Amino acid sequence: RPHEMLAWVWFIMLFWILIQYKDKKIDAGIFWASILFAAVILTYVAVAIFAAFLFLGLILCKKGGERFKVIAVACSGFLITTFWSIPYVINLSNSIMTSLEQGRWLLVFQKELLLKQAGAFIFPIIFLVLFYVMWKEKKEKTTLFFFMPLLGLAILFTTRVTSFIPALNAIFPSPYFSLFIILAAYCLIQILNREKESNILLYLGVVVAVIISCGVALLYTAYFEVPNEEVRDLLEIIPKIEQRYALFGLPQSIYPKAIVSYAAIYHQKSTHNGHYIHVKDDKYNREIELLSQAHVKRDCQQFTEKMQLLQTSEVISKESCKFFEQCGFSLKAKNGDFCLYAKQ
């Protein structure tokens, strides 16, 4: 996700500016932070929520009028984005974003979520340990206050409490991992700069962590797939689509969202659920679910009704061609084992 990566770049710059002011008097230079905060908000909302914790930490470091200056900087950053953020907040109720609660993935123990479960313990704990090692020598109050909201977030995430907190439970685990990796890296750099000679084991630990990280990435990150003959058969039928379409009965080896993206980008074809269904409301997504259920149950009447309700008249399949024929759809094109049916 390039936009999330860009948001983390803004976040690191914002972090660097704000942490300079934990022991420094607020001056005009801090208002650069409002520009960066606005950039984070406009780039990736989940990272913007984490950025708010940075401002909260700096507020805890300050007293009196300086606290209001920090609040003013944060509010200025938000005000810059009002042309986008206010319509975004208003229209949240018209989407399923608030009901997805992707943070609750951590409460589901399944094989495919095993790495996320492990990461949800490892990354925040590493941050907590490294922070303590960094802080224990000087025990600066401002450092503790600045990191206190982030330390609290790490504890809440480790114990899965974030799964029940609004806004925080809408963020899926991966952005949390990135946050704690960045914070742990900062703590580690401070430790290494302070004790360059006496921390051989720490250096070795960094090397081992890099090796493990690369190993996990090599073993579990999917490689770029070159379309095989089966996928090419499917792609060749897409230009023949004329109306809004749906995909059903595809082999498990084919990722439907990839096909949807390809059809939209290269052939300007529109489907009933698209690549990002989160912008639709619960009612619309419920109709999509009922359409899928009708396909599974082979219920022609309900399938046809839901297709009409979703203003979709064409369907591509490999394993359900006979079902669509039985439902009164007309064969429009065939390529290999794939079929394109249309409802007149």
Side-chain angles (χ1 to χ4, degrees):
R1 293 184 297 273
H3 57 303
E4 182 185 352
M5 187 181 297
L6 178 60
W8 285 119
V9 173
W10 301 135
F11 178 91
I12 292 170
M13 295 169 66
L14 178 64
F15 174 80
W16 182 81
I17 289 176
L18 294 182
I19 202 167
Q20 304 300 314
Y21 284 96
K22 69 181 179 65
D23 298 306
K24 178 181 173 183
K25 188 176 180 180
I26 301 295
D27 57 30
I30 196 174
F31 282 94
W32 284 105
S34 63
I35 304 297
L36 290 170
F37 187 41
V40 175
I41 293 173
L42 293 173
T43 308
Y44 202 75
V45 174
V47 180
I49 293 174
F50 297 145
F53 281 80
L54 300 179
F55 283 102
L56 180 58
L58 187 58
I59 290 170
L60 294 177
C61 295
K62 300 300 179 181
K63 295 180 180 179
E66 289 212 318
R67 285 188 172 181
F68 290 103
K69 290 180 181 179
V70 177
I71 294 172
V73 171
C75 291
S76 297
F78 177 78
L79 289 173
I80 293 171
T81 70
T82 50
F83 71 93
W84 175 85
S85 56
I86 290 180
Y88 172 80
V89 172
I90 292 174
N91 286 289
L92 272 178
S93 59
N94 296 324
S95 73
I96 61 169
M97 292 293 293
T98 54
S99 60
L100 276 179
E101 297 184 345
Q102 297 176 97
R104 288 181 176 267
W105 290 358
L106 296 178
L107 302 177
V108 180
F109 291 89
Q110 296 177 349
K111 183 179 180 180
E112 56 269 23
L113 295 175
L114 183 61
L115 284 177
K116 292 190 184 297
Q117 294 288 354
F121 283 109
I122 294 171
F123 294 123
I125 288 175
I126 288 176
F127 163 56
L128 291 169
V129 171
L130 288 176
F131 173 81
Y132 177 74
V133 174
M134 176 191 73
W135 178 77
K136 69 176 182 178
E137 184 174 317
K138 295 184 179 180
K139 294 186 177 179
E140 297 174 334
K141 285 186 177 181
T142 53
T143 300
L144 179 61
F145 288 157
F146 183 84
F147 280 94
M148 192 175 291
L150 297 165
L151 294 170
L153 181 63
I155 294 170
L156 292 175
F157 184 68
T158 306
T159 55
R160 308 300 196 266
V161 176
T162 52
S163 301
F164 304 96
I165 300 176
L168 296 179
N169 65 5
I171 304 172
F172 59 99
S174 296
Y176 282 100
F177 298 168
S178 300
L179 172 68
F180 296 128
I181 288 172
I182 291 170
L183 297 174
Y186 171 82
C187 296
L188 182 61
I189 291 170
Q190 298 303 310
I191 295 168
L192 294 178
N193 286 338
R194 188 181 64 204
E195 304 177 24
K196 294 183 178 179
E197 297 180 358
S198 60
N199 263 305
I200 301 300
L201 289 178
L202 201 55
Y203 281 102
L204 290 175
V206 172
V207 173
V208 171
V210 170
I211 293 173
I212 292 174
S213 176
C214 292
V216 171
L218 286 171
L219 291 173
Y220 292 97
T221 302
Y223 291 98
F224 179 80
E225 291 190 13
V226 178
N228 55 26
E229 184 178 354
E230 182 180 50
V231 175
R232 288 196 296 270
D233 286 342
L234 174 55
L235 297 181
E236 288 171 2
I237 210 171
I238 287 175
K240 299 174 182 178
I241 298 171
E242 295 179 329
Q243 304 295 327
R244 204 174 188 188
Y245 74 99
L247 294 169
F248 284 105
L250 298 183
Q252 291 186 351
S253 59
I254 295 179
Y255 183 48
K257 286 188 175 182
I259 304 301
V260 167
S261 298
Y262 172 86
I265 294 169
Y266 293 101
H267 298 284
Q268 295 76 53
K269 305 301 181 183
S270 177
T271 185
H272 71 298
N273 60 351
H275 189 283
Y276 199 75
I277 64 170
H278 308 77
V279 297
K280 289 292 188 178
D281 57 26
D282 285 325
K283 182 180 179 181
Y284 187 90
N285 282 281
R286 177 58 179 164
E287 297 300 334
I288 292 177
E289 185 179 338
L290 291 173
L291 177 64
S292 298
Q293 291 176 4
H295 171 256
V296 172
K297 297 176 181 178
R298 295 295 192 263
D299 185 337
C300 279
Q301 181 178 350
Q302 185 178 12
F303 185 85
T304 303
E305 289 175 356
K306 297 305 176 185
M307 286 281 284
Q308 291 175 347
L309 185 63
L310 296 170
Q311 299 178 347
T312 306
S313 58
E314 299 186 14
V315 60
I316 295 177
S317 182
K318 179 181 179 181
E319 300 168 357
S320 302
C321 296
K322 290 184 178 179
F323 168 65
F324 300 132
E325 187 175 349
Q326 293 170 359
C327 293
F329 285 73
S330 302
L331 180 63
K332 188 174 181 179
K334 190 172 178 64
N335 192 41
D337 294 328
F338 290 94
C339 58
L340 171 62
Y341 275 84
K343 188 71 173 179
Q344 302 300 330

